[in-house]
Amino acid sequence: MYIRRFLLPIMVFACCITAAAQTDNDHNFEVKKNLDVFNAIYKNLDLIYVDTLDAKEVIGTGINAMLRSLDPYTEYYPEENMTDLKEIYTGKFAGIGALIRYNTKIKRVVIDEPYEGMPADLAGLKKGDIILSIDDSSMVDKNVSYVSSHLRGDPGTSFILKIQRPTTGKKMQMKITRKTVQTPSVPYYGLRGDGIGYINLRQFTEDCSKDVRNAFIEMKEKGMKGLVLDLRGNGGGSEMEAVDIVNILVPKGKLIVSNRGKLKRSDRDYITRVEPIDTVMPVVVLVSDMTASASEITSGALQDLDRAVILGTRTYGKGLVQTSIELPYNGSLKVTSNKYYIPSGRCIQAINYKHARGGYTEHIPDSLTKVFHTANGREVRDGGGIMPDVVVESDSLSNISYYLASSGTDSTEVMLDYEVDYISKHPTIAPPSKFEISDADFEDFKSRVLASGFSYDPESGKYLSNLVKIAKFEGYYDDAKEEFDNLEKKLTHNLSKDLDFNKEQLKKILANDIVAAYYYQRGAIENSLNGDKQMEEACRLILNPEEYAKILNH
């Protein structure tokens, strides 16, 4: 009896081991079989196929198709593309330090915005300058990617750039030496007169936490009473930098984020390592639908620890972590290896990536998310990103504003031409926080738009046209024809009326673009805060301590 009592558990345990071993063997066999098949297919193609195959292209296509079936973050970087991977992690590249764009009116690539203190800026390049050639290579009729690849190169190398200034028609050439360019992680920070500090963090690149820390300390020494940390549009980056930024505001020894994956040796807990600068100052974090990854670790951890009020719109929902693996022949594989979990224990990944049928996605519905709790007991949920404590929608871009402001959407480029002319006629402008386009300036812009032949498709007209088609198909049109005709008359496209209706938004876009030409990215960001309703609500909350505290304790 004694022996038989323990016999069944031992047999069950042995069966489990056998089943697991069988599963592993089956998996390993399937891996080996399919690799052998792939290898045999390519060998036969290379031997028999009617045309000579380019191994890099054909096998590269197979590799990329395989990775696309997984998720958008798992990517293969061959040796020739390793600089792209390094740029992702460091934010650094070698070039002239300028944004370029395609001018659809003249069908040429032009300078859009030089970075402050970079070779393009030092050489005197200005918004709208037409790029004609780089050394002996003509850039006429080339696209942005082609021109960009020629502007970039090794630090310290030089080339001759030939441009044409549109306002004068004068052609100029200059020698430019490439330099390592790193777009600033904190392009702007500043302290308002009411004691509220503002930090704009654009990306979580190497040492960005030091930039945030230095800005915080500087403003605190000047009397900062509250902070607005702007993570809107920040797509993330380094996980460790996110932890160090949170550490500025929370005590040493706090768990901020945990990584969990298939390989237990790659699991990791990130804990704050140093003493904080301030644990009581009110903080509001601004987020948007493009706040992702490390930005969500920062905002989510501060929410879970009840250390900041999160304000804006629901974030993107990227709860995955990538690891780089070295490959033969100096390549690299950036592979999704873990999910991350913030202090409440939740993972905010919004999409399930399915690998069957070549790969597809499933958005996690709110009904399937689970409840977690912050340090103060507030309810928060996993899946679907970070839901702000205070939801404030941003102003949406109107249809006409989109068409006027976006490169490549209209052949007239009337907004770009107006801005270039304005800049050429004004050697100086008011400081970023005070600059605005006057009503007289807008009337000048409006007259240019009307004379330019600019046109766009009003969304209301598209919807009406589709509704008419459906009504005819379903047999309702004849009975409602009079109503449809009256509605069409009311929705008749009137460009002058549309410009007037969107006047204030268009004035802001023009002002922001123009400010960037004088005060660079920092000035454009400062100017954009004028009339920013999310920023205004954040400041109002900080200046109302009782309301701020109630949000974090309800």
Side-chain angles (χ1 to χ4, degrees):
M1 284 292 294
Y2 180 78
I3 296 174
R4 293 176 63 184
R5 286 177 59 193
F6 291 93
L7 187 57
L8 182 60
I10 291 172
M11 290 177 64
V12 171
F13 180 65
C15 288
C16 290
I17 294 175
T18 303
Q22 184 63 46
T23 301
D24 289 343
N25 289 335
D26 290 345
H27 174 76
N28 292 336
F29 172 74
E30 287 298 319
V31 170
K32 183 179 183 305
K33 182 182 78 172
N34 284 282
L35 287 175
D36 287 344
V37 170
F38 181 87
N39 189 41
I41 287 173
Y42 184 77
K43 281 185 176 181
N44 282 284
L45 287 174
D46 192 51
L47 180 67
I48 300 171
Y49 189 72
V50 64
D51 296 322
T52 300
L53 300 180
D54 182 331
K56 182 191 296 185
E57 181 176 344
V58 175
I59 296 177
T61 299
I63 291 171
N64 290 330
M66 174 176 61
L67 299 183
R68 278 198 300 271
S69 74
L70 304 179
D71 64 60
Y73 314 111
T74 298
E75 299 176 284
Y76 166 56
Y77 291 84
E79 182 179 11
E80 60 269 23
N81 292 344
M82 284 298 292
T83 54
D84 296 338
L85 183 61
K86 290 178 182 177
E87 185 181 332
I88 290 173
Y89 288 125
T90 66
K92 298 177 182 178
F93 62 93
I96 66 170
L99 295 175
I100 59 176
R101 59 171 284 182
Y102 189 77
N103 185 319
T104 56
K105 178 182 177 182
I106 61 175
K107 295 180 171 56
R108 299 287 186 274
V109 175
V110 302
I111 299 293
D112 191 39
E113 182 186 332
Y115 296 147
E116 186 173 10
M118 289 291 108
D121 180 32
L122 299 176
L125 293 174
K126 297 184 181 297
K127 187 181 184 72
D129 284 347
I130 304 164
I131 300 174
L132 300 176
S133 66
I134 298 172
D135 284 334
D136 296 328
S137 299
S138 172
M139 296 296 117
V140 175
D141 296 327
K142 305 299 183 183
N143 59 29
V144 169
S145 177
Y146 184 89
V147 175
S148 177
S149 68
H150 283 70
L151 290 174
R152 293 191 179 196
D154 295 327
T157 58
S158 301
F159 64 94
I160 301 299
L161 177 67
K162 188 174 182 180
I163 61 118
Q164 182 175 14
R165 186 142 293 164
T167 51
T168 62
K170 183 179 179 181
K171 293 181 179 179
M172 296 177 279
Q173 68 177 32
M174 56 202 72
K175 183 178 181 180
I176 297 182
T177 300
R178 297 180 180 92
K179 181 180 179 181
T180 298
V181 178
Q182 181 170 16
T183 53
S185 56
V186 180
Y188 172 72
Y189 66 93
L191 186 63
R192 293 164 35 121
D194 56 10
I196 296 176
Y198 171 87
I199 297 176
N200 183 288
L201 180 61
R202 281 289 174 89
Q203 51 192 347
F204 283 79
T205 48
E206 199 172 51
D207 293 331
C208 71
S209 58
K210 294 180 181 178
D211 296 333
V212 174
R213 177 177 287 269
N214 291 338
F216 189 94
I217 291 172
E218 179 185 323
M219 291 190 292
K220 186 174 182 181
E221 289 175 347
K222 292 180 179 179
M224 178 171 60
K225 300 174 183 176
L227 173 69
V228 177
L229 176 62
D230 194 346
L231 298 181
R232 292 174 295 183
N234 187 321
S238 169
E239 197 173 18
M240 194 66 243
E241 294 294 332
V243 175
D244 288 343
I245 287 172
V246 174
N247 198 174
I248 295 170
L249 302 168
V250 304
K252 179 180 178 181
K254 288 285 186 180
L255 175 65
I256 302 303
V257 61
S258 300
N259 291 350
R260 296 293 182 266
K262 184 186 293 182
L263 295 179
K264 296 304 177 185
R265 66 174 180 269
S266 69
D267 290 352
R268 184 173 178 183
D269 293 332
Y270 290 88
I271 297 170
T272 50
R273 302 176 293 176
V274 299
E275 295 300 329
I277 299 173
D278 192 300
T279 60
V280 295
M281 180 184 294
V283 178
V284 174
V285 181
L286 301 181
V287 296
S288 69
D289 61 344
M290 295 308 292
T291 299
S293 189
S295 293
E296 292 176 295
I297 292 174
T298 302
S299 54
L302 291 172
Q303 184 180 58
D304 283 358
L305 297 171
D306 296 303
R307 181 61 189 89
V309 169
I310 313 302
L311 185 148
T313 55
R314 181 185 288 193
T315 63
Y316 183 82
K318 180 179 182 288
L320 305 175
V321 180
Q322 284 70 47
T323 301
S324 289
I325 300 171
E326 292 184 3
L327 296 177
Y329 303 100
N330 303 314
S332 186
L333 178 67
K334 180 165 69 72
V335 58
T336 298
S337 56
N338 302 85
K339 289 183 177 180
Y340 70 76
Y341 300 82
I342 48 181
S344 64
R346 57 183 170 143
C347 176
I348 51 84
Q349 176 65 19
I351 298 173
N352 284 330
Y353 294 100
K354 302 296 184 179
H355 313 314
R357 304 194 303 274
Y360 64 98
T361 61
E362 288 182 349
H363 284 263
I364 301 171
D366 289 344
S367 59
L368 295 182
T369 59
K370 298 176 182 178
V371 173
F372 293 77
H373 294 89
T374 70
N376 288 341
R378 296 186 298 141
E379 285 192 1
V380 288
R381 287 184 172 271
D382 64 355
I386 304 296
M387 178 59 73
D389 303 308
V390 179
V391 176
V392 179
E393 298 286 343
S394 60
D395 291 325
S396 59
L397 193 65
S398 68
N399 200 28
I400 189 172
S401 297
Y402 169 79
Y403 276 90
L404 282 167
S406 299
S407 172
T409 57
D410 181 74
S411 60
T412 64
E413 294 282 9
V414 61
M415 180 172 278
L416 174 63
D417 289 346
Y418 176 82
E419 291 167 355
V420 169
D421 288 345
Y422 187 100
I423 292 164
S424 70
K425 294 174 183 177
H426 296 80
T428 61
I429 62 172
S433 62
K434 297 181 179 180
F435 179 77
E436 59 182 20
I437 293 294
S438 68
D439 289 342
D441 291 332
F442 181 78
E443 289 303 316
D444 180 24
F445 171 70
K446 176 183 172 182
S447 65
R448 289 188 181 214
V449 175
L450 294 174
S452 70
F454 169 81
S455 63
Y456 75 103
D457 297 325
E459 289 297 310
S460 56
K462 290 181 182 178
Y463 282 108
L464 177 60
S465 177
N466 289 332
L467 183 59
V468 167
K469 290 179 182 177
I470 294 170
K472 287 180 177 179
F473 176 76
E474 295 182 344
Y476 300 127
Y477 178 75
D478 291 338
D479 292 339
K481 185 177 185 304
E482 184 177 347
E483 287 83 354
F484 276 121
D485 289 342
N486 290 333
L487 185 57
E488 185 177 7
K489 290 176 183 177
K490 290 183 178 181
L491 297 178
T492 299
H493 187 32
N494 186 321
L495 183 57
S496 178
K497 181 181 177 182
D498 292 346
L499 289 167
D500 287 336
F501 184 78
N502 294 283
K503 175 180 177 179
E504 293 307 313
Q505 186 175 79
L506 288 167
K507 285 172 66 176
K508 288 180 181 179
I509 294 171
L510 289 167
N512 201 247
D513 287 350
I514 289 169
V515 163
Y518 295 86
Y519 299 103
Y520 308 98
Q521 289 184 39
R522 55 182 170 83
I525 294 169
E526 184 179 5
N527 179 262
S528 71
L529 297 177
N530 294 334
D532 182 336
K533 63 182 184 182
Q534 292 176 331
M535 176 66 176
E536 290 173 355
E537 177 62 13
C539 294
R540 189 194 69 79
L541 270 178
I542 290 174
L543 295 174
N544 288 270
E546 291 183 2
E547 185 176 352
Y548 175 89
K550 184 178 179 181
I551 292 171
L552 294 179
N553 290 284
H554 77 279

